[in-house]
Amino acid sequence: MQFENDIKAVDALHQSYNNIKAEIGKVVIGQDEIVKSVLISIFSNGHCLLVGVPGLAKTLLVQTVANVLDLNFNRIQFTPDLMPSDIIGAEILGEDRNFKFINGPIFSNIILADEINRTPPKTQAALLEAMQEKAVTAAGIRHVLPNPFFVLATQNPIEQEGTYPLPEAQLDRFMFNVHLSYPSFADELTIVKNTTSNTDVSLNKIINASQIQYFQKLIRNIPVTDNVVEYAVKLASKTRPNTALSTEEVNKYINWGAGPRASQFLVIGAKCHAAISGKYAPDIEDVQAVAEAILRHRIVRNYRAEAEGLSVEHIIKNLY
């Protein structure tokens, strides 16, 4: 009976995903793979880093996702003068002469961390506890964040002046690092037509916070065979130079590989990818489908790789 209920639940997730994608498609033209990655990270209870040049609708995508999923949404514009208290909140002296904590903008279901690399490391670190523990600590008191909670951050890859690279500890907390590319000619034609007229698009709310939490638990319960888990762990292990499973190319071009969190995300991401595709258990192809976005920000190339123009994506594909 439980098995039949799980099958129905996976079917419901598959249908909900298709409905969500269609609704988002009313506003965000093209970028199907990007939308899929964002939704997988949400259903997997992870965070997502969107990297792309200005004007590719990164902010619009996050706002649309929050709207369609009926979630509370806050946008934080990261700037060089932003302070940690501007994100998590601060204690103030009230009229009754007692200190009380005032919630910052991080107290929301979806946080758009816009241009996250424009703020100094001290302020970037304010997100570390929130992303890992789903809580923040102020004046020694722990404050739990709303559930579900996601950080969807954007980063501009071409304008490096006045930016602060994200430390590895911060990057590792993002499940996905998704690179946005320019739209196709046909998609750009549709975008221009839609945005230069009086077209008014109304979005329907497909699912809500409680349903998202239900689907997150469902994905955790999806069975996965030992060979798929072993494949995911081996794939992450191969990225670590001078280890038993590392390849000659990795030893030659990589300084630092992916940690155990990558293995965890590969398995949970494969489960979610299978479920939204209408499958009841993941296979190796599902691991490969999410591997690039999970591994690319966890691998550090050496100077030799950079000098020879060898990309992280090329190295990852050679590990399959």
Side-chain angles (χ1 to χ4, degrees):
M1 180 64 72
Q2 182 60 44
F3 179 71
E4 291 180 1
N5 290 337
D6 288 345
I7 287 179
K8 290 179 180 178
V10 171
D11 290 340
L13 173 57
H14 173 56
Q15 186 59 52
S16 295
Y17 166 75
N18 287 334
N19 294 340
I20 293 167
K21 190 171 68 169
E23 206 65 25
I24 293 172
K26 293 179 180 179
V27 176
V28 180
I29 308 300
Q31 306 289 16
D32 289 343
E33 289 304 311
I34 309 302
V35 171
K36 177 190 283 189
S37 295
V38 170
L39 292 177
I40 288 176
S41 69
I42 288 175
F43 287 128
S44 301
N45 202 13
H47 310 287
C48 189
L49 177 62
L50 303 171
V51 180
V53 299
L56 295 183
K58 299 186 292 294
T59 304
L60 177 64
L61 169 61
V62 178
Q63 290 174 329
T64 305
V65 168
N67 195 352
V68 172
L69 299 183
D70 196 17
L71 296 175
N72 295 326
F73 165 79
N74 274 335
R75 177 179 181 270
I76 305 173
Q77 182 64 52
F78 280 68
T79 56
D81 61 346
L82 193 73
M83 297 297 290
S85 58
D86 296 328
I87 298 174
I88 65 175
E91 287 212 332
I92 66 169
L93 188 63
E95 294 178 356
D96 57 357
R97 295 191 174 275
N98 290 320
F99 282 98
K100 61 179 180 179
F101 181 73
I102 302 299
N103 291 350
I106 201 167
F107 284 82
S108 190
N109 296 124
I110 291 185
I111 301 300
L112 170 58
D114 211 2
E115 296 194 277
I116 190 174
N117 59 330
R118 288 206 172 278
T119 200
K122 176 182 178 181
T123 306
Q124 290 176 2
L127 284 175
L128 290 176
E129 182 185 8
M131 294 174 69
Q132 182 64 29
E133 306 294 336
K134 307 294 175 72
V136 295
T137 302
I141 300 175
R142 189 171 186 266
H143 303 272
V144 178
L145 295 170
N147 192 15
F149 173 77
F150 312 104
V151 173
L152 300 177
T154 68
Q155 186 173 319
N156 179 355
I158 59 173
E159 192 178 342
Q160 297 305 322
E161 199 169 319
T163 62
Y164 304 84
L166 295 180
E168 276 66 32
Q170 178 99 47
L171 285 172
D172 197 43
R173 280 165 170 76
F174 286 101
M175 178 178 183
F176 283 152
N177 180 338
V178 180
H179 286 193
L180 285 80
S181 58
Y182 289 108
S184 66
F185 180 81
D187 286 340
E188 189 166 352
L189 204 61
T190 305
I191 291 168
V192 172
K193 286 180 180 178
N194 290 353
T195 56
T196 56
S197 64
N198 286 323
T199 305
D200 186 21
V201 178
S202 60
L203 294 173
N204 298 312
K205 300 185 186 302
I206 304 301
I207 58 176
N208 55 33
S210 62
Q211 290 171 303
I212 291 172
Q213 292 175 60
Y214 172 76
F215 285 139
Q216 288 173 342
K217 292 177 182 177
L218 169 69
I219 288 166
R220 294 276 173 175
N221 290 331
I222 289 176
V224 55
T225 57
D226 288 343
N227 72 303
V228 173
V229 176
E230 288 174 9
Y231 179 83
V233 174
K234 283 182 179 178
L235 187 58
S237 299
K238 285 179 181 179
T239 67
R240 302 163 192 164
N242 303 313
T243 57
L245 295 174
S246 61
T247 64
E248 184 179 340
E249 187 175 50
V250 167
N251 292 336
K252 186 177 179 181
Y253 293 113
I254 298 300
N255 271 344
W256 200 258
R261 190 178 276 135
S263 302
Q264 296 169 331
F265 280 144
L266 285 169
V267 173
I268 196 72
K271 286 184 176 187
C272 189
H273 187 273
I276 66 173
S277 303
K279 298 191 293 186
Y280 304 116
D283 52 31
I284 287 173
E285 285 72 23
D286 292 302
V287 177
Q288 293 173 346
V290 298
E292 188 174 302
I294 288 174
L295 295 175
R296 66 155 56 99
H297 56 300
R298 294 181 165 88
I299 298 175
V300 179
R301 294 178 298 164
N302 58 26
Y303 290 115
R304 186 172 187 173
E306 293 179 11
E308 296 182 18
L310 198 68
S311 69
V312 169
E313 290 80 6
H314 172 82
I315 295 171
I316 293 171
K317 283 185 168 62
N318 286 344
L319 298 178
Y320 292 170

